[in-house]
């Protein structure tokens, strides 16, 4: 594996088979492995560290807005699911059940949590008595189970990691404000730290969360042109409050039901990161979330190594002291092999130092995002590394925005237009992308688009680039402009 081409050949090119590229990349980059349980994966340290960084960034934002973490049981009594009919119908096909323990059959089946609204609703009914107990602002970091028929690592697995926020409020106005605040937090985090552009908006009734009054989401475009729902926030109204009898005595001495919200993101954000930025060389990680930001590699003949290390070791110490996540690769592989290895793993910046560099009191910095190589003086190396990491983060976001804009189609007006567009793009082996279409508000028109094209209504954007005048299916006046796409 010493030649450049030989190493990169191990990853299927995106244009040949995007799904295979994705699976090749996550395994070659050592992010995960398959477990012996169907649909479940093992997070290896590099993959889990990305999740830890996502957790840390979001957790800080949650706490800044007054939320606190708690933990609730993962086993939920079957009777709890009967209290919110629409909710259980939405999850029933995916529920794994515990029916036996210690060799005895259980009196009541226990579901392994698919989400925690029911358990948390039950607990809130015990904790909330008066308006003085409100609002309740709680988040949980946990694992959940949904017995998926078709799985894809990070994006859709039978067990996955996530956070789920659950809040209770005295008024509808407060609960609605909370729902939108959390959507904004998700969007800001995903754009600034993951360098993934998103569109914020509301889900159609057919796409909303079971039991919610309104569901909002952030949607991101992957490099194959598909949409990935990257975070959701639900206004639940009083549906769960009535199901679980969550009442409080208000200031006017009246007993009232609370208004609740729930919101969550999961480890599918790791999938979003990979499929937004990755290329045919493998992963490309934004500096903010990359487990290793700078990989340092000494180059040149072994007999000159001591001379190189005299400058190499202090530079490593300086970078570390400056807060960079820096690692050295001193293995006995060729520099070319190492360069490919770390490019494939997505490390944002490579620092090379050889005998000639030492003579010239400089080092070479190579960017993962552009491939550009820059010679910088050793005395300014630390500051240049810090500048370049910021620039790489910014450039990765801008590249992703440009890709999304290029593949977002505003000129399609009818279902027939969409069908022709899809056929033309597929015939040319090009990215199909997203389409903004008018929608009259009738579920039947939305369903017809899905049935005909497999495009689903992703989101009714808060800010549509254009306002469509007629429904793409029936031709009646459009109530909304909706982004449609094939989705993960």
């Amino acid at each position: 594996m010493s030649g450049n081409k030989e190493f990169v050949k191990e990853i299927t090119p995106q244009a040949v088979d995007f799904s295979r590229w994705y699976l090749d990349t996550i395994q070659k980059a050592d992010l995960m492995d398959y477990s012996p349980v169907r649909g479940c994966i093992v997070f290896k340290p590099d993959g889990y560290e990305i999740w830890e960084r996502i957790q840390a960034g979001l957790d800080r934002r949650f706490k800044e807005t007054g939320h606190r973490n708690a933990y609730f049981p993962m086993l939920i009594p079957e009777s709890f699911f009967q209290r919110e009919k629409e909710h259980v119908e939405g999850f029933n096909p995916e529920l794994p059940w515990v029916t036996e323990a210690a060799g005895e059959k259980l009196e009541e089946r226990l579901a392994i949590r698919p989400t925690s609204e029911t358990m948390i609703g039950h607990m809130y009914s015990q904790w909330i008595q008066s308006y003085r107990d409100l609002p309740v602002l709680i988040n949980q970091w946990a694992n959940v189970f949904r017995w998926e028929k078709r799985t894809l690592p990070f994006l859709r697995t039978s067990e996955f990691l996530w956070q789920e926020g659950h809040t209770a409020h005295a008024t509808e106005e407060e609960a609605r404000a909370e729902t939108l605040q959390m959507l904004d937090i998700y969007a800001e985090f995903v754009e600034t730290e993951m360098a993934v552009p998103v569109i914020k908006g509301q889900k159609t009734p057919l796409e909303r969360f079971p039991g919610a009054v309104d569901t909002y989401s952030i949607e991101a475009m992957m490099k194959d042109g598909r949409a990935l729902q990257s975070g959701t926030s639900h206004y639940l109204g009083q549906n769960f409050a009535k199901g679980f009898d969550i009442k409080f005595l208000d200031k006017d001495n009246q007993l009232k039901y609370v208004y609740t919200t729930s919101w969550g993101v999961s480890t599918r954000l790791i999938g979003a990161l990979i499929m937004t930025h990755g290329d045919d060389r493998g992963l490309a990680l934004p500096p903010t979330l990359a487990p290793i930001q700078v990989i340092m590699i000494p180059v040149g003949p072994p007999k000159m190594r001591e001379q190189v290390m005299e400058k190499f070791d202090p530079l490593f110490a300086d970078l570390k002291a400056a807060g960079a996540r820096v690692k050295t690769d001193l293995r006995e592989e060729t520099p070319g092999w190492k360069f490919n290895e770390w490019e494939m793993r997505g490390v944002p910046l490579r620092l090379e130092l050889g005998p000639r560099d030492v003579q010239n009191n400089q080092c070479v910095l190579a960017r993962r995002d552009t491939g550009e190589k820059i010679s910088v003086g050793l005395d300014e190396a630390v500051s240049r590394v810090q500048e370049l990491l910021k620039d790489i983060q910014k450039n990765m976001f801008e590249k992703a925005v440009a890709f999304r804009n290029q593949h977002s189609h505003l000129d399609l007006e009818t279902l027939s237009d969409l069908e022709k567009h899809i056929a033309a793009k597929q015939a040319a082996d090009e990215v199909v992308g997203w389409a903004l279409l008018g929608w009259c508000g009738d579920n039947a028109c939305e369903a017809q688009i899905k049935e005909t094209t497999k495009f689903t209504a992703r989101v009714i954007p808060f800010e549509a680039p254009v306002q469509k005048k007629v429904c793409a299916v029936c031709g009646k006046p459009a109530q909304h402009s909706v982004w449609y796409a094939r989705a993960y």
Side-chain angles (χ1 to χ4, degrees):
M1 286 206 302
S2 57
N4 288 12
K5 288 181 182 171
E6 190 181 347
F7 188 84
V8 176
K9 264 186 196 165
E10 295 189 9
I11 295 175
T12 305
Q14 290 184 346
V16 172
D17 184 338
F18 192 82
S19 294
R20 176 48 54 193
W21 167 84
Y22 177 76
L23 293 170
D24 287 350
T25 296
I26 58 178
Q27 285 192 282
K28 299 286 180 202
D30 218 26
L31 298 183
M32 54 69 67
D33 203 352
Y34 293 99
S35 87
V37 180
R38 191 193 70 80
C40 297
I41 62 169
V42 174
F43 286 73
K44 296 184 88 172
D46 275 0
Y48 195 74
E49 187 170 335
I50 293 170
W51 179 239
E52 285 180 315
R53 295 196 173 281
I54 290 170
Q55 272 188 305
L58 285 170
D59 203 60
R60 177 171 55 77
R61 287 164 172 82
F62 297 161
K63 285 170 179 165
E64 283 169 359
T65 45
H67 301 84
R68 299 189 69 197
N69 290 331
Y71 186 80
F72 297 84
M74 71 184 294
L75 296 175
I76 301 174
E78 184 173 15
S79 56
F80 281 23
F81 285 94
Q82 309 312 320
R83 300 193 205 174
E84 215 299 320
K85 192 165 170 284
E86 191 185 337
H87 183 70
V88 71
E89 282 172 3
F91 281 106
N92 210 27
E94 302 174 342
L95 289 179
W97 294 96
V98 175
T99 57
E100 214 176 281
E104 292 182 12
K105 204 164 177 63
L106 297 178
E107 283 182 31
E108 181 177 8
R109 291 197 302 174
L110 300 172
I112 303 177
R113 103 182 119 217
T115 179
S116 298
E117 277 78 5
T118 56
M119 175 60 74
I120 289 173
H122 171 80
M123 297 313 300
Y124 282 6
S125 71
Q126 318 290 308
W127 298 347
I128 297 167
Q129 310 298 329
S130 153
Y131 70 90
R132 293 185 182 87
D133 300 324
L134 296 169
V136 176
L137 307 175
I138 282 180
N139 175 62
Q140 168 173 244
W141 292 98
N143 61 341
V144 289
F145 288 79
R146 296 177 189 176
W147 213 249
E148 299 282 359
K149 288 188 173 69
R150 293 179 62 202
T151 61
L152 191 59
F154 300 125
L155 294 185
R156 196 173 291 281
T157 48
S158 296
E159 178 193 17
F160 56 94
L161 306 177
W162 79 348
Q163 61 73 213
E164 48 179 322
H166 297 269
T167 69
H169 306 264
T171 67
E172 176 178 359
E173 186 184 20
E174 245 184 73
R176 284 193 175 278
E178 164 79 6
T179 308
L180 294 176
Q181 172 189 248
M182 300 322 292
L183 191 75
D184 285 342
I185 285 173
Y186 289 152
E188 185 271 333
F189 170 81
V190 171
E191 293 200 333
T192 60
E193 298 211 20
M194 292 178 56
V196 174
V198 296
I199 290 175
K200 293 187 291 186
Q202 186 170 356
K203 288 287 192 186
T204 61
L206 287 179
E207 293 287 329
R208 80 177 159 225
F209 180 71
V213 175
D214 289 309
T215 288
Y216 302 89
S217 77
I218 53 171
E219 302 283 329
M221 186 187 287
M222 304 296 98
K223 272 207 175 157
D224 60 351
R226 290 194 176 206
L228 185 72
Q229 180 179 288
S230 303
T232 49
S233 190
H234 314 288
Y235 168 63
L236 303 175
Q238 295 180 315
N239 291 352
F240 284 86
K242 288 175 179 172
F244 288 86
D245 206 31
I246 315 171
K247 292 177 182 169
F248 70 102
L249 204 59
D250 207 352
K251 289 176 185 174
D252 58 9
N253 226 27
Q254 298 291 311
L255 207 55
K256 297 175 181 174
Y257 287 107
V258 299
Y259 295 84
T260 64
T261 79
S262 68
W263 29 274
V265 298
S266 76
T267 37
R268 70 174 7 210
L269 286 180
I270 299 173
L273 199 67
I274 297 160
M275 293 198 294
T276 300
H277 301 304
D279 57 27
D280 287 348
R281 300 189 75 75
L283 283 186
L285 297 173
T288 310
L289 291 185
I292 302 164
Q293 294 173 316
V294 186
I295 183 69
M296 289 180 64
I297 299 173
V299 297
K303 62 183 180 185
M304 307 290 284
R305 180 59 56 89
E306 199 176 318
Q307 179 191 336
V308 169
M309 296 310 288
E310 282 176 16
K311 296 286 187 183
F312 189 91
D313 289 339
L315 185 52
F316 171 79
D318 289 346
L319 282 166
K320 200 160 183 140
R325 294 192 290 280
V326 58
K327 180 182 172 72
T328 61
D329 188 344
L330 307 178
R331 292 176 294 174
E332 290 181 11
E333 300 285 356
T334 65
W337 189 89
K338 293 179 189 178
F339 294 171
N340 280 317
E341 160 95 349
W342 295 107
E343 277 182 14
M344 186 269 296
R345 286 173 173 255
V347 174
L349 204 56
R350 182 175 75 242
L351 189 154
E352 304 165 23
L353 189 67
R356 192 175 295 169
D357 299 314
V358 169
Q359 281 174 7
N360 296 326
N361 199 39
Q362 66 177 32
C363 63
V364 175
L365 299 173
R367 293 175 60 143
R368 173 65 179 84
D369 61 331
T370 63
E372 183 187 2
K373 282 191 167 192
I374 309 147
S375 293
V376 302
L378 290 179
D379 51 349
E380 58 168 348
V382 172
S383 61
R384 290 290 281 130
V385 162
Q386 290 171 323
E387 284 169 23
L388 283 170
L389 290 174
K390 283 180 188 166
D391 195 60
I392 292 167
Q393 185 83 19
K394 180 170 173 279
N395 182 52
M396 289 179 75
F397 179 71
E398 287 170 356
K399 270 169 74 174
V401 169
F403 179 87
R404 186 185 69 186
N405 291 345
Q406 183 187 346
H407 300 290
S408 297
H409 302 283
L410 309 176
D411 55 342
L412 307 175
E413 299 298 337
T414 66
L415 175 53
S416 173
D417 289 346
L418 178 59
E419 287 181 274
K420 286 174 191 164
H421 166 80
I422 293 169
K425 290 290 183 185
Q426 287 178 337
D429 214 14
E430 292 175 356
V431 170
V432 176
W434 298 6
L436 189 72
L437 300 173
W439 179 51
C440 62
D442 189 335
N443 289 350
C445 288
E446 179 188 338
Q448 193 172 332
I449 289 176
K450 182 178 180 179
E451 192 180 320
T452 309
T453 65
K454 296 189 178 145
F455 269 46
T456 52
R458 299 320 308 149
V459 75
I460 303 166
F462 293 149
E463 295 174 15
V466 294
Q467 291 299 330
K468 296 287 182 169
K469 294 190 167 48
V470 297
C471 177
V473 178
C474 68
K476 289 179 185 171
Q479 300 295 316
H480 305 285
S481 297
V482 180
W483 281 112
Y484 285 86
R486 284 195 180 152
Y488 279 97

